[in-house]
Amino acid sequence: MICGANKELMERASRYISQHQRVLCANYMIYQSVIKCCVNTELVAKCNEMTPFMMVATRFFSCYPKRASCIVTEEGDLRMRIFKKDEELEEDFKEIEELRETVLGANMPPHVEKVALKELEKLSKTGPSSAEYSIGTNYIDYMVHLPWNTVTEDNLDMKRAESILEREHYGLTEIKDRILEHLAVRILKLSRRHRILVVDDEKMTRMNLEHVFTKDGYEVLTAASGIEALKLLEEGSFDVIVTDLKMEKVDGLTVLEKAKAKDPTTEVIIITGYATVTTAVEAMQKGSYQFLAKPLKLVEVRSTIEKVLMKKRARLQSKGPALCLVGPPGTGKTSLGMSIARSLERRFTRISLAGMKDEAQIRGHRRSYVGALPGRIIQEIRRMEFKNPVFMLDELDKIGQDFKGDPASALLEVLDPEQNSQFMDHYLDVPFDLSKVMFIATANTTDLIPGPLLDRLEVLYLSGYTEKEKQEIAYRYLIPREIQEAGLFDAPPEFTTDAINRIIREYTREAGLRNLQRQIASVCRKTARDVLKNDGHMPAKKITPEVIEQMLGPRKFYFEVAEAEDKVGVATGLAWAETGGQIIFIEATKMRGEGHLLLTGSLGNVMKESAQAALSYIRSHTTLLNIPEDFFKDQDIHVHVPAGATPKDGPSAGLAIAIALISLLTNRPSRRDVALTGELTLSGMILPVGGVKDKALAAHRAGVKCVVFPDRNDADLREIPEEIKRNLEIITIRELIDIVDKVLKERAPQ
């Protein structure tokens, strides 16, 4: 029926469609009704009326299947009942157009913008009432609000950064040095002058380009021929080479080949007054960045050089380091991350990985259902609005794993500097660059971190604090903060040095500062209550050791070693746990039996094997140790480590177990003020152990006078603070026999 219409009718129909295509819509019923109208001979006369409607129905049927219904009356008149008002339809189209404009103005990478526009094209053919429409709009909204190219400029003032770190944290020299090293690398890379080689046999051209490039701050060398240029290439490297094409003996293409062969990152710009399509194509195939024709336009040359060096600077930018701060609770790992962000003037964000079991919390959910979201990494990046924040991953050693996946494996891509520039979140389904993010993970121990993940981290250890360090931190940070929290502005209490020392020694026993802060806060709260009892008119209170005992009650901790007696069969050992160094006691006794070794105290397999090895060494060296050869024949030996409810494991107790057994079998009391640590072999060699500084601090807190370490730990002894070394006698040994007479006293009377 349409083919019988004249040309004018078709033009009218086309104009009608163009005027109404944004508001008219049709469904399958419309389409069928129009077809019936077309084949009905009685309606042929009404073709002029029906043609626009039919064409509209045919065009929009596939796009808007559920927006209208068609009613055909007995007289054959076709009428459309639009379920939505024209204004509402216009609003739908307006939303699509606004999203399109937002996508085009979001400064996305080209490949990401292409994906967003493709998704937008799907939305234009989807009804707003469908679930897919809301999923698509949420996805595009997320894409446009991600900081694809937005970064904060680092403050590269090293003195300022150093002063912030010193002001907010006492000690922690190694970590502060690492941050300042990162700043130093950034400063050197950004302050580097780019080298440009200008090759041209025309002196005027060389002089003009040299003058322009030198004025722009570049280091410029010139060559009057291709031969001279090749000599300069052998002597050094260049960031950019600007060379003429036509030169005697060695032309510009040869210079291009030699430059690319030596360093593929060197960019070459060819200039010539004899440009042809063939030579241009050949130059581009060999790796030329640009092909410029003479006479040169300085604006064009400058912009080309700037584009080249911009790409090179992007490659030279240092990637964000992935640090892992390992130390006992309360040593300031999280607050240190915040200080690092302030020193660099970057945004700071953190997420806790403790108990995380679902891989989707790192990689995100796929957009296959309503409510899908990106992973926590992308969520926090979007919330920060910059792509280079300081990102803290707290409690890395407490991450979980179950049937939903392994989050630790998903973190491999996040923390690997060779992979995270193309991090693929399942929700985004496009790569996102995480290489500019400074990741800082925290953990109490590295034992529970998977090996491949630990390999991608730069581990920095935070040991516990000495008494002097705790005292300084209390006066600089803890006391002023708690006075402010308690509202004691008008009459702040004055803590004496003896009072602080008493809190540290008798009311706390920790490597960190949390309990010390709690006790100081308790004193401040009680002082605030006393102020109110006196109607707010109370002079500043002086906090002395006696006041501490009144407010905090009886002492909670004692010096176990200093106040203990030397006994037979009891040795003092040193251990390391998530909470820092600890003192342990090894007790041994013998009884009638059948030659069995009993081990109790919630010991792990490694510690049980250490006890077996110690006993085997003693049985094979009875003559050297003055022990009867048949001591194990008719009696059992029982080794116990107190605090049986606490699981214990590790090889470093082997030396202490051996000393306890030798003390028992020789009836010689063991000195309780001598603490030992080291792994014992069957030949009597003492192998090195970890946590040397933490163990030394624990020994000092417990009142130990002498500590024994393997001689292979000599390098680790440098980490022990000088004030601890002054109060401790440190002995290093190679074999067990070297320390027996130092630790054991003379034989006790029977």
Side-chain angles (χ1 to χ4, degrees):
M1 304 302 295
I2 299 176
C3 61
N6 57 27
K7 184 177 180 180
E8 182 182 358
L9 177 60
M10 295 299 294
E11 292 177 352
R12 288 170 53 195
S14 298
R15 286 197 300 271
Y16 185 90
I17 292 172
S18 63
Q19 293 171 2
H20 297 81
Q21 62 179 348
R22 295 179 64 85
V23 296
L24 293 177
C25 53
N27 65 357
Y28 187 76
M29 295 174 62
I30 298 175
Y31 184 83
Q32 294 294 331
S33 298
V34 171
I35 297 301
K36 290 179 182 178
C37 292
C38 292
V39 299
N40 191 334
T41 57
E42 296 180 1
L43 297 179
V44 173
K46 298 184 179 181
C47 180
N48 290 351
E49 299 176 11
M50 298 304 302
T51 299
F53 288 96
M54 184 184 65
M55 295 183 67
V56 169
T58 303
R59 182 168 181 177
F60 287 92
F61 166 66
S62 60
C63 300
Y64 305 98
K66 297 182 179 179
R67 293 192 181 179
S69 67
C70 176
I71 301 175
V72 181
T73 62
E74 294 180 357
E75 292 78 17
D77 295 327
L78 181 64
R79 299 178 182 176
M80 299 181 69
R81 178 176 297 171
I82 306 300
F83 289 156
K84 282 197 170 186
K85 296 180 180 179
D86 291 352
E87 294 81 0
E88 295 177 353
L89 293 173
E90 287 287 352
E91 190 66 30
D92 294 341
F93 285 106
K94 184 178 179 182
E95 181 182 3
I96 297 295
E97 289 303 318
E98 288 178 351
L99 284 174
R100 190 185 305 277
E101 293 175 2
T102 306
V103 168
L104 295 175
N107 195 23
M108 296 178 176
H111 65 281
V112 178
E113 185 178 287
K114 182 178 179 181
V115 172
L117 292 175
K118 186 176 180 181
E119 185 70 21
L120 200 59
E121 188 67 24
K122 294 179 182 178
L123 284 183
S124 65
K125 301 176 183 179
T126 306
S129 59
S130 65
E132 290 79 5
Y133 189 86
S134 61
I135 292 175
T137 54
N138 290 337
Y139 173 68
I140 293 177
D141 180 70
Y142 223 103
M143 295 276 278
V144 299
H145 286 95
L146 278 174
W148 297 98
N149 297 298
T150 309
V151 296
T152 55
E153 291 296 330
D154 288 351
N155 190 322
L156 301 179
D157 187 347
M158 288 191 63
K159 291 184 178 179
R160 174 184 172 277
E162 188 173 4
S163 65
I164 290 176
L165 294 173
E166 289 292 342
R167 183 174 65 248
E168 298 184 358
H169 289 274
Y170 185 81
L172 307 178
T173 306
E174 181 182 0
I175 297 170
K176 293 176 182 177
D177 289 344
R178 179 63 183 85
I179 302 306
L180 296 176
E181 289 167 7
H182 173 73
L183 281 178
V185 171
R186 291 291 310 277
I187 292 172
L188 287 178
K189 283 189 173 183
L190 293 178
S191 60
R192 173 179 175 268
R193 292 182 66 193
H194 294 284
R195 302 187 73 199
I196 299 178
L197 174 62
V198 178
V199 186
D200 201 308
D201 52 7
E202 295 181 8
K203 184 177 180 180
M204 187 59 65
T205 302
R206 292 199 311 272
M207 292 177 61
N208 289 339
L209 290 177
E210 182 181 10
H211 174 74
V212 171
F213 294 154
T214 303
K215 190 176 180 181
D216 290 341
Y218 305 124
E219 181 182 349
V220 184
L221 294 180
T222 61
S225 65
I227 297 175
E228 187 178 344
L230 295 182
K231 290 181 181 179
L232 291 174
L233 279 173
E234 292 176 358
E235 296 173 358
S237 60
F238 297 90
D239 297 304
V240 183
I241 298 176
V242 181
T243 178
D244 192 8
L245 178 62
K246 296 292 184 180
M247 293 182 291
E248 292 185 4
K249 296 184 179 181
V250 177
D251 61 3
L253 293 180
T254 305
V255 174
L256 169 62
E257 291 177 354
K258 295 293 183 181
K260 287 294 183 180
K262 181 180 180 181
D263 185 3
T265 63
T266 300
E267 299 292 355
V268 180
I269 300 173
I270 293 182
I271 57 177
T272 182
Y274 308 95
T276 63
V277 175
T278 304
T279 54
V281 171
E282 184 181 0
M284 292 300 179
Q285 289 176 344
K286 291 184 177 181
S288 173
Y289 181 82
Q290 188 65 280
F291 197 89
L292 302 178
K294 291 183 178 180
L296 293 176
K297 299 178 181 178
L298 291 181
V299 175
E300 184 181 11
V301 174
R302 276 177 162 172
S303 64
T304 304
I305 292 291
E306 184 60 31
K307 289 178 183 178
V308 171
L309 295 179
M310 188 179 297
K311 290 177 60 179
K312 205 168 186 70
R313 280 194 291 265
R315 288 196 299 265
L316 288 174
Q317 279 186 0
S318 57
K319 297 179 180 179
L323 308 178
C324 183
L325 308 181
V326 179
T331 50
K333 297 184 291 294
T334 303
S335 60
L336 184 61
M338 299 171 67
S339 297
I340 291 172
R342 278 193 289 271
S343 65
L344 296 175
E345 289 191 355
R346 290 194 187 188
R347 299 286 184 91
F348 176 81
T349 184
R350 63 172 290 275
I351 62 174
S352 176
L353 302 177
M356 184 180 290
K357 297 181 179 180
D358 190 354
E359 180 185 341
Q361 291 186 272
I362 301 296
R363 292 190 184 275
H365 302 82
R366 299 190 183 277
R367 290 180 289 116
S368 57
Y369 60 90
V370 178
L373 287 172
R376 293 290 305 278
I377 303 294
I378 295 297
Q379 288 185 40
E380 293 299 320
I381 294 289
R382 184 197 185 200
R383 190 171 64 85
M384 288 295 100
E385 299 179 349
F386 293 97
K387 65 181 295 185
N388 64 334
V390 174
F391 203 122
M392 177 157 283
L393 303 171
D394 245 340
E395 310 294 351
L396 182 63
D397 56 332
K398 298 174 181 62
I399 196 168
Q401 179 181 359
D402 66 1
F403 65 94
K404 296 181 180 179
D406 184 8
S409 298
L411 282 174
L412 293 177
E413 184 182 1
V414 174
L415 298 175
D416 192 334
E418 301 300 326
Q419 299 182 39
N420 60 12
S421 60
Q422 296 289 319
F423 174 67
M424 185 71 75
D425 186 276
H426 288 162
Y427 181 83
L428 298 182
D429 205 25
V430 291
F432 189 88
D433 185 8
L434 296 178
S435 62
K436 303 298 186 296
V437 179
M438 177 182 281
F439 286 104
I440 301 178
T442 68
N444 297 132
T445 177
T446 58
D447 296 341
L448 302 176
I449 302 176
L453 182 58
L454 189 64
D455 183 59
R456 286 160 171 79
L457 296 168
E458 182 180 345
V459 180
L460 301 174
Y461 291 96
L462 283 76
S463 302
Y465 294 104
T466 65
E467 286 189 5
K468 182 179 179 181
E469 289 173 337
K470 289 183 178 181
Q471 187 183 114
E472 287 291 333
I473 293 171
Y475 279 115
R476 292 188 185 187
Y477 311 109
L478 302 184
I479 293 176
R481 184 191 307 165
E482 296 305 327
I483 287 176
Q484 186 175 3
E485 290 290 330
L488 298 170
F489 306 105
D490 298 330
E494 179 185 350
F495 286 79
T496 64
T497 303
D498 293 338
I500 293 297
N501 288 336
R502 185 159 190 175
I503 294 176
I504 294 171
R505 295 172 182 172
E506 300 181 5
Y507 294 90
T508 64
R509 179 64 56 83
E510 59 178 349
L513 301 164
R514 287 179 181 166
N515 285 328
L516 177 59
Q517 181 178 353
R518 293 187 185 106
Q519 299 300 334
I520 293 174
S522 177
V523 172
C524 291
R525 290 194 303 269
K526 294 179 185 301
T527 303
R529 184 180 178 187
D530 293 340
V531 170
L532 291 180
K533 285 182 179 179
N534 290 275
D535 299 328
H537 303 291
M538 182 178 176
K541 190 173 184 178
K542 190 171 185 178
I543 308 299
T544 62
E546 293 74 23
V547 174
I548 292 296
E549 187 173 1
Q550 293 175 4
M551 290 186 171
L552 300 181
R555 65 187 297 180
K556 299 177 181 179
F557 298 97
Y558 296 84
F559 292 104
E560 303 101 326
V561 174
E563 299 170 3
E565 298 180 358
D566 300 334
K567 293 183 179 180
V568 173
V570 180
T572 304
L574 291 171
W576 188 89
E578 294 182 7
T579 55
Q582 294 180 351
I583 290 288
I584 61 173
F585 297 106
I586 311 295
E587 299 178 347
T589 188
K590 58 184 179 179
M591 65 210 79
R592 288 182 178 272
E594 300 177 353
H596 294 154
L597 175 63
L598 307 177
L599 302 172
T600 58
S602 296
L603 307 185
N605 292 331
V606 177
M607 203 166 181
K608 290 179 180 179
E609 291 174 358
S610 298
Q612 293 281 359
L615 182 59
S616 297
Y617 171 80
I618 294 172
R619 294 181 67 182
S620 61
H621 294 79
T622 53
T623 304
L624 181 64
L625 298 172
N626 295 323
I627 298 173
E629 292 185 3
D630 59 347
F631 75 92
F632 203 49
K633 182 178 180 182
D634 298 323
Q635 57 187 2
D636 294 339
I637 294 179
H638 186 178
V639 177
H640 177 70
V641 183
T646 304
K648 311 169 190 70
D649 203 2
S652 62
L655 177 59
I657 294 174
I659 291 296
L661 290 174
I662 295 172
S663 171
L664 172 69
L665 298 174
T666 58
N667 200 32
R668 298 173 63 182
S670 175
R671 290 178 54 187
R672 298 291 292 275
D673 61 350
V674 177
L676 311 102
T677 181
E679 181 179 354
L680 177 68
T681 68
L682 287 177
S683 62
M685 299 293 294
I686 307 300
L687 301 183
V689 294
V692 171
K693 181 180 178 181
D694 288 304
K695 290 176 179 179
L697 294 176
H700 182 261
R701 285 195 299 266
V704 170
K705 302 299 182 183
C706 175
V707 291
V708 179
F709 290 107
D711 65 346
R712 297 185 188 179
N713 283 117
D714 279 335
D716 301 316
L717 299 179
R718 302 172 187 173
E719 301 176 0
I720 301 176
E722 289 298 326
E723 62 170 298
I724 301 298
K725 290 182 180 179
R726 287 194 295 268
N727 297 322
L728 277 180
E729 180 186 359
I730 299 176
I731 300 175
T732 58
I733 61 171
R734 186 177 182 82
E735 297 184 9
L736 171 63
I737 196 64
D738 299 337
I739 198 62
V740 172
D741 292 333
K742 177 70 176 178
V743 179
L744 301 183
K745 293 184 174 182
E746 294 298 325
R747 187 182 301 272
Q750 295 291 338

